[in-house]
Amino acid sequence: MKSILANESRYLIGPAYASKYTSYEPDGYLNLGGTNERAVRLPGMTAVTVATALKLGVYDSRNLSESNATIRLMNLIKTIAARHMSNNTNTSTRWGHGWQTALWAYYDGVAAWLMWDKLSTTDRDKVVNMLVDEAKRLTTGNDVYLIGTSGNQLYETRRDGTAVTPGDSKTEENQWSAALLGLTLSMMPTHPDAAAWSTRYKQLAVSATAKPADLRGRSTVNGITLSTWLQGHNIANDGTLENHGFLHPLYMIVDQGLYEATVNGLAGTCAPNAAKHNVALMYSALVDKQFPASGGGTKTIYTPGSYEVHYPEGNDWGTEFPMYFGGFDQLVSLFGLDSTVSTPAATWEKLHNDRQIALQARHTDGRTYGSLTENNYYGREQRVGVISALTYLTTWLVNNSGGNKTCWTNS
């Protein structure tokens, strides 16, 4: 993972940055080129990647010095926060209050926290404003709606079986929204809204991976009685889920929940068990559940002895995603969530991450992908970067010489 992070961070802050960020605005911040996902999420992922590499001594300076990489990184962190609507009145450059913007703020917030000593008081304040503003929106929701009392709901399927968003699980959205709250709470535990953030954080985390069976019985997680609070579910009882209209293994990679232990670990606190609710079940579905194969018979999603992945109903994103699975494997192994699977997560991690390193070895600049058939997401390199960064940071927190800094709690 250290090797993967070193390669990808070198590419992202080197040639990728140089080709994209070619001008500054009159106020001294970068021209991000817009206010959409491509313009804000991608530099946010780059920022987490490079901040982690620099902070933990992983950065490879063969093509760009550490000092110059730091200058570029700080440009990204400061610009993203400054352009958030809590700090920016210019409607042509401001972003925020959107479906995915909690995730963008989370990425920039993590990067800023890692590099806090290099930020001015003014820029720190802008990061705080961004995080608090996005957190405030999320605390207005209830047990049905993500925000307020209308609009986006927390579940693909309601308690009565009604499909709210057929074929489109809300797992991903709920997890990134919970992540924003967890980060804001970890950074600002004495804030007047901290109690509200904490409550909503746990609610969104547990709803993300709720299954039909959770709606029965008397189980509680972090003080939430599942059968009475949950109003629907996002995954099936067998640990699978749907996205883009079909069973989609890429969205069964619920690494965002496990990163909660990482963020809490930076603050010296424990992550709520709600953030890993049903994760072991979902991992088991990747490793051991049998699905029909095109030539007859059945196959598991993970291919025994191989990095190859079987997509039972196809994959609209491409053909090569070893880092996505390898990062998840490593997290599952670190937190001991593979006790029920036939082959340990560490075995899968090596298969998948060796393939990831082989993909990077094709390119002298450290990037992963070649043609769009491998991965057609426009943030594919940044996605590899942020997975490698957060997974390596988690590994460091678990295995550093001072002892394991991560833990989980049901309080």
Side-chain angles (χ1 to χ4, degrees), residues 293-375:
S294 58
T298 60
K299 293 178 65 174
T300 52
I301 292 173
Y302 277 16
T303 303
S306 172
Y307 67 83
E308 294 182 350
V309 174
H310 169 55
Y311 298 94
E313 298 179 13
N315 179 8
D316 52 351
W317 285 114
T319 61
E320 291 280 2
F321 299 87
M323 176 82 272
Y324 293 48
F325 293 102
F328 190 39
D329 297 330
Q330 189 157 323
L331 295 171
V332 167
S333 181
L334 286 169
F335 296 127
L337 298 175
D338 57 345
S339 61
T340 64
V341 298
S342 60
T343 302
T347 300
W348 297 111
E349 177 272 324
K350 179 167 174 53
L351 290 167
H352 292 138
N353 286 337
D354 280 353
R355 175 59 176 174
Q356 166 61 32
I357 290 172
L359 293 179
Q360 288 180 322
R362 303 175 301 171
H363 310 288
T364 59
D365 57 10
R367 63 191 167 95
T368 297
Y369 290 106
S371 71
L372 291 178
T373 60
E374 295 177 344
N375 184 342

Side-chain angles (χ1 to χ4, degrees), residues 134-154:
E134 291 288 334
K136 182 177 181 180
R137 297 176 64 234
L138 294 168
T139 54
T140 64
N142 54 30
D143 59 352
V144 175
Y145 295 103
L146 178 63
I147 296 169
T149 57
S150 63
N152 294 328
Q153 296 193 27
L154 298 181

Side-chain angles (χ1 to χ4, degrees), residues 219-258:
S219 297
T220 63
V221 179
N222 293 114
I224 302 169
T225 302
L226 303 184
S227 61
T228 56
W229 189 85
L230 291 170
Q231 301 304 314
H233 60 86
N234 284 304
I235 72 171
N237 283 327
D238 62 6
T240 60
L241 61 69
E242 297 176 321
N243 222 310
H244 295 202
F246 54 91
L247 188 151
H248 210 314
L250 284 179
Y251 291 88
M252 292 165 62
I253 301 171
V254 284
D255 50 359
Q256 187 66 68
L258 299 184

